[in-house]
Amino acid sequence: QARLEASLEKYRALPADMTTSLSNSMPTQEDLPGLFVFLDDLVTYSGMTLTTVAATPGTAVITPTTQGETVSSNLRSLNVQVAASPSSDYQSVKTLLDNLEKSQRLFDVISINFSETSASKTDQKAGGGVTLSLRTYYLAQTP
């Protein structure tokens, strides 16, 4: 109990910008509206248009990935499907992946599906789409 209280005091003493950064990378709730807005902004910033987004609850993340690692019993995951239409080429998809990697929010890219459509006779510009399967995390509050 004493160690927990000491940790909480250290957290409370952190500057506001640092706690905001921590909250952005590991939210304390699902916050689906915030996640959807974040993804829409990220896709738009990457030069694409968000067409669909869906999130489903994942499982609790309780198994350490390496020996000696501790994982909180409150760590939860969300499975997210994102579909976007690139402007015209694969470069926008690469930009999206780069922006996703640099974002404060933690994401694991599970799969990527890029499809390019050829130009039609009436529209000389080729198009395409990308579908991303992502996993993101949040730290659930205990009652």
Side-chain angles (χ1 to χ4, degrees):
Q1 181 70 22
R3 289 189 329 187
L4 177 61
E5 289 298 326
S7 293
L8 286 172
E9 285 304 314
K10 286 181 184 177
Y11 178 78
R12 290 181 187 120
L14 292 173
D17 62 332
M18 185 174 283
T19 56
T20 299
S21 177
L22 288 171
S23 179
N24 288 341
S25 64
M26 184 64 66
T28 57
Q29 58 186 351
E30 284 182 347
D31 186 25
L32 294 179
L35 176 64
F36 292 172
V37 168
F38 174 82
L39 289 170
D40 185 42
D41 289 346
L42 188 74
V43 168
T44 302
Y45 183 71
S46 301
M48 300 167 56
T49 303
L50 185 67
T51 54
T52 61
V53 62
T56 56
T59 59
V61 183
I62 55 173
T63 306
T65 55
T66 59
Q67 191 173 16
E69 184 178 86
T70 304
V71 176
S72 170
S73 61
N74 296 346
L75 186 60
R76 304 285 190 269
S77 66
L78 283 171
N79 299 316
V80 183
Q81 297 288 328
V82 176
S85 299
S87 53
S88 63
D89 60 14
Y90 185 65
Q91 182 59 44
S92 55
V93 176
K94 290 178 15 181
T95 302
L96 173 62
L97 292 174
D98 187 49
N99 290 336
L100 194 60
E101 181 179 0
K102 292 177 183 175
S103 73
Q104 281 188 331
R105 178 110 188 212
L106 299 176
F107 286 99
D108 289 331
V109 178
I110 307 302
S111 68
I112 303 168
N113 183 7
F114 177 72
S115 60
E116 186 174 22
T117 58
S118 58
S120 68
K121 291 180 183 179
T122 57
D123 182 12
Q124 296 301 311
K125 197 171 194 179
V130 64
T131 304
L132 299 171
S133 292
L134 308 169
R135 185 171 298 128
T136 189
Y137 304 91
Y138 67 99
L139 202 54
Q141 297 289 334
T142 54

